[in-house]
Amino acid sequence: LLISSAKVVVELAKVALIQAAVMLHPSFVTVDDIKSVKVPIAILGAEIDNLSPPELVKQFDEILKASEVPI
């Protein structure tokens, strides 16, 4: 079982066990994960990242902007 620290952070953010979150290189985080986030979250991706490419990070950003979660 391979779990990234970003995946742990997003799981905590989905059940609001933390007040805010920051993820670097959000490996193994999915669009569905981001749709379930309940706390403010910052996502910092890399320009070259095979597991979480910039296009995916941009999609995460768009989902968060459209949600009711303050950013």
Side-chain angles (χ1 to χ4, degrees), residues 1-64:
L1 177 63
L2 182 60
I3 299 177
S4 72
S5 58
K7 186 69 171 183
V8 172
V9 168
V10 80
E11 291 298 322
L12 293 171
K14 286 165 47 174
V15 292
L17 289 174
I18 53 179
Q19 294 179 342
V22 176
M23 292 189 296
L24 308 173
H25 302 283
S27 303
F28 307 107
V29 175
T30 67
V31 167
D32 287 335
D33 289 329
I34 297 301
K35 287 179 179 178
S36 299
V37 166
K38 294 179 174 44
V39 300
I41 189 167
I43 303 171
L44 307 172
E47 188 174 327
I48 300 172
D49 188 336
N50 293 331
L51 293 175
S52 50
E55 299 82 21
L56 181 60
V57 175
K58 183 176 180 184
Q59 189 176 5
F60 291 167
D61 186 50
E62 291 169 358
I63 292 166
L64 291 169

